[in-house]
Amino acid sequence: MRATAFAGEISCWKVVENLTSFERVVKSSAEKEGVIWVPGFAPSWWTTSVAHLISLSKAPGKVACDPDPAGLFIASQVGKVWEKQRISWEPWLMAPSDFAEKENLIPLTEHDFGLLKCFKQRPCSHDSLLILAKWLEKNQKKLEQESFVH
């Protein structure tokens, strides 16, 4: 919150939910890409801090969460931080084509189905999250992002 400016340019912010994936993305990102870890459902201190960084950089967001029902909610929550600043964001590595062929897909649980039902009843600001929600429902499978996000 004490930051007042950036010395260089930030081309985008990559937000990654899983800590292992976050560490990999930090190592593989370009010099001008900022990388932020989101600890699951973002606490208020996180959203306040990230909103401040975004207000200084005006850089768009790329949000990578587990391709599962909870990840849909987390990505939407994170995306709202950008939307409030009127800066673009997009889900990243959350399209079925990014993971559908993986061998380690996991069956959805009853809890997942409940979350998915709730997600589909809410307004969604990003079509790609709706595409993922439909894929999850149709295939009844999910995946942890550490198995494919690098």
Side-chain angles (χ1 to χ4, degrees), residues 54-73:
I54 295 166
S55 74
L56 296 174
S57 68
K58 307 295 186 208
K62 294 182 176 185
V63 181
C65 296
D66 287 336
D68 66 12
L72 292 168
F73 278 101

Side-chain angles (χ1 to χ4, degrees), residues 73 76-77 80 117-125 130:
F73 278 101
S76 292
Q77 178 191 28
K80 284 184 177 139
K117 182 179 178 182
C118 290
F119 181 81
K120 289 172 43 184
Q121 293 172 346
R122 297 172 39 156
C124 180
S125 64
L130 294 174

Side-chain angles (χ1 to χ4, degrees), residues 3-10 13 34 50 52-59:
T4 58
F6 287 96
E9 176 188 337
I10 298 194
W13 290 105
V50 171
H52 180 66
L53 292 175
I54 295 166
S55 74
L56 296 174
S57 68
K58 307 295 186 208

Side-chain angles (χ1 to χ4, degrees), residues 6-109:
F6 287 96
E9 176 188 337
I10 298 194
S11 62
C12 72
W13 290 105
K14 293 179 174 178
V15 180
V16 184
E17 174 191 3
N18 178 276
L19 190 54
T20 300
S21 296
F22 165 78
E23 291 170 350
R24 292 177 189 157
V25 170
V26 166
K27 291 176 185 174
S28 67
S29 290
E31 185 177 312
K32 292 185 177 186
E33 295 175 326
V35 185
I36 302 170
W37 175 58
V38 61
F41 289 96
S44 61
W45 60 263
W46 186 94
T47 56
T48 300
S49 299
V50 171
H52 180 66
L53 292 175
I54 295 166
S55 74
L56 296 174
S57 68
K58 307 295 186 208
K62 294 182 176 185
V63 181
C65 296
D66 287 336
D68 66 12
L72 292 168
F73 278 101
I74 295 167
S76 292
Q77 178 191 28
V78 169
K80 284 184 177 139
V81 178
W82 269 262
E83 290 170 14
K84 287 180 181 178
Q85 302 272 343
R86 297 185 181 193
I87 299 172
S88 66
W89 75 279
E90 62 184 88
W92 177 53
L93 299 174
M94 294 183 73
S97 60
D98 294 321
F99 65 87
E101 300 301 319
K102 300 292 182 188
E103 295 179 10
N104 49 350
L105 293 167
I106 305 163
L108 293 180
T109 65

Side-chain angles (χ1 to χ4, degrees), residues 134-147:
K134 289 177 186 174
W135 188 93
L136 293 170
E137 184 175 52
K138 177 184 174 193
N139 294 277
Q140 300 184 8
K141 301 279 185 183
K142 63 182 180 178
L143 190 62
E144 300 293 324
Q145 73 176 183
E146 65 266 27
S147 65

